[in-house]
Amino acid sequence: EIVMTQSPATLSVSPGERATLSCRASQSVSSNLAWYQQKPGQAPRLLIYGASTRATGIPARFSGSGSGTEFTLTISSLQSEDFAVYYCQQYNNWPRWTFGQGTKVEIK
Amino acid sequence: QVQLVESGGGVVQPGGSLRLSCAASGFTFSSYGMHWVRQAPGKGLEWVAFIRYDGSNKYYADSVKGRFTISRDNSKNTLYLQMNSLRAEDTAVYYCASRVINPNDAFDIWGQGTMVTVSS
């Protein structure tokens, strides 16, 4: 099983600032990496797939990068609605999809 | 619009059974593989099971293999998860999810989830 490790566990950021979240895979997942946002009481929402492609309707302030084992999600200027938990997921090791443990982005 | 709606959650005793349903609408259900994903209270996401578009192949996480069965009825646009021999650690919100909108295998549609509580 591919283990996905996210860091940090919690990120404290002021509105308008940049947030950088990291995700590391225990072995290469090529570019088969997605990022999800989850707010309390809601289902996850797909933000990024293919490591760097924004899903339909996702604002341009969200960007993804990386390949192989190291990935980054960047939120260029945090808005109030962006405070949430973010998960990375690999879908390269089919059919064993795995998620990271999540990074909580909170208001500083 | 594209929508998934889960139902069937509830409280069940350890060792008991429960069947979850996921009703799909707004897309050609019979063309897409479907997943179940769960989230224990205060915890992260865990993939549970996958079924191919025609039901020909099914895959399970090791934590549920032999106890849970995924199935689908394409004539009813509905996905199921039969859960037997339930344990306290199966307590979670269960989501159905799929890849429908984007040309990729990430999960781009999710239901709202249904809560399963295993407790005596």
Side-chain angles (χ1 to χ4, degrees), chain A residues 1 31-34 36 38 41-46 48-50 54-56 87 89 91 94-101, chain B residues 35 37 39 43-47 49-50 52 59-62 65 95 101-113:
Chain A
E1 174 180 298
S31 294
N32 295 312
L33 189 285
Y36 299 86
Q38 188 179 34
Q42 296 185 17
R45 177 176 71 145
L46 177 66
I48 301 285
Y49 64 89
R54 280 189 302 278
T56 304
Y87 294 94
Q89 177 212 24
Y91 48 92
W94 202 98
R96 288 288 181 267
W97 297 265
T98 49
F99 293 88
Q101 81 279 18
Chain B
H35 300 266
V37 177
Q39 186 171 35
K43 303 298 184 181
L45 301 167
E46 179 188 18
W47 171 78
F50 172 73
R52 292 183 67 100
Y59 305 93
Y60 300 92
D62 290 343
K65 195 174 297 182
Y95 297 100
I101 300 170
N102 298 291
N104 198 264
D105 284 340
F107 302 176
D108 57 20
I109 61 167
W110 295 70
Q112 85 288 351

Side-chain angles (χ1 to χ4, degrees), chain B residues 88-107:
Chain B
E89 55 264 37
D90 295 319
T91 295
V93 175
Y94 286 74
Y95 297 100
C96 55
S98 185
R99 185 277 292 178
V100 172
I101 300 170
N102 298 291
N104 198 264
D105 284 340
F107 302 176

